Amino acid sequence: MSTKSNSRRPRRIQLTARDERVVRLVHEFGSATVEQIQFLEFGEKNRSRAQTRLGVLRQAGRLETLAGRAPNEPAVWVVSRRGVKTFGLEETDASVQRVKYGRLSHDLAVNDCRVRIMLACRQPGLELLTWQREEELRATTIRHGVL
């Protein structure tokens, strides 16, 4: 699985609290589009700011984009090994080296639903207590004969 990254040495930047939230969000999602990150961290009308900051995080070596996407397809962002190390994140099946291209469209669609639910839960009186990934749910559904 190859990813595109800046071939030069990563640039030193001053990381912000938002930068850390973005990297953690992408790690939690496994992969994410700029639109998903934008809606959750930058707001509906700040696409340019989201794209700029993602570019900075790529130059700093914290995020990467998946290679091999068509020019008209949205970039898919993943956490780099350096990003995992910088923030003490656990390497999971969703980490950069384990993105499953055959499931990518499905995973991004699930992430779209997750973003909408997370945004809806920002309303007063609502709280999203937990989100279980498909892999976590599989054991439960198999045990109860659902799958």
Side-chain angles (χ1 to χ4, degrees), residues 12 18 51 61 78 99-100 112 127 136 145:
R12 289 185 58 88
R18 179 188 277 172
Q51 288 175 317
V78 293
V99 171
K100 297 177 179 127
D112 280 339
E127 181 181 5
E136 298 165 328

Side-chain angles (χ1 to χ4, degrees), residues 1 66 69 98-108:
M1 228 42 64
L66 293 181
R69 307 279 293 165
R98 298 187 183 101
V99 171
K100 297 177 179 127
Y101 281 89
R103 294 182 42 88
L104 188 58
S105 293
H106 169 78
D107 291 343
L108 292 174

Side-chain angles (χ1 to χ4, degrees), residues 33-100:
T33 64
V34 66
E35 183 178 77
Q36 293 164 349
I37 297 163
Q38 170 199 338
F39 284 155
L40 289 173
E41 285 298 328
F42 295 88
E44 189 175 335
K45 297 182 180 182
N46 288 317
R47 184 175 182 96
S48 175
R49 181 172 291 266
Q51 288 175 317
T52 299
R53 204 64 200 168
L54 289 169
V56 168
L57 286 169
R58 178 175 39 197
Q59 289 175 345
R62 281 13 179 244
L63 293 179
E64 298 177 346
T65 55
L66 293 181
R69 307 279 293 165
N72 61 342
E73 291 181 306
V76 176
W77 293 88
V78 293
V79 179
S80 67
R81 289 191 185 281
R82 184 172 186 199
V84 168
K85 185 177 178 180
T86 299
F87 296 109
L89 303 172
E90 181 180 330
E91 286 216 35
T92 66
D93 286 344
S95 65
V96 63
Q97 299 302 316
R98 298 187 183 101
V99 171
K100 297 177 179 127

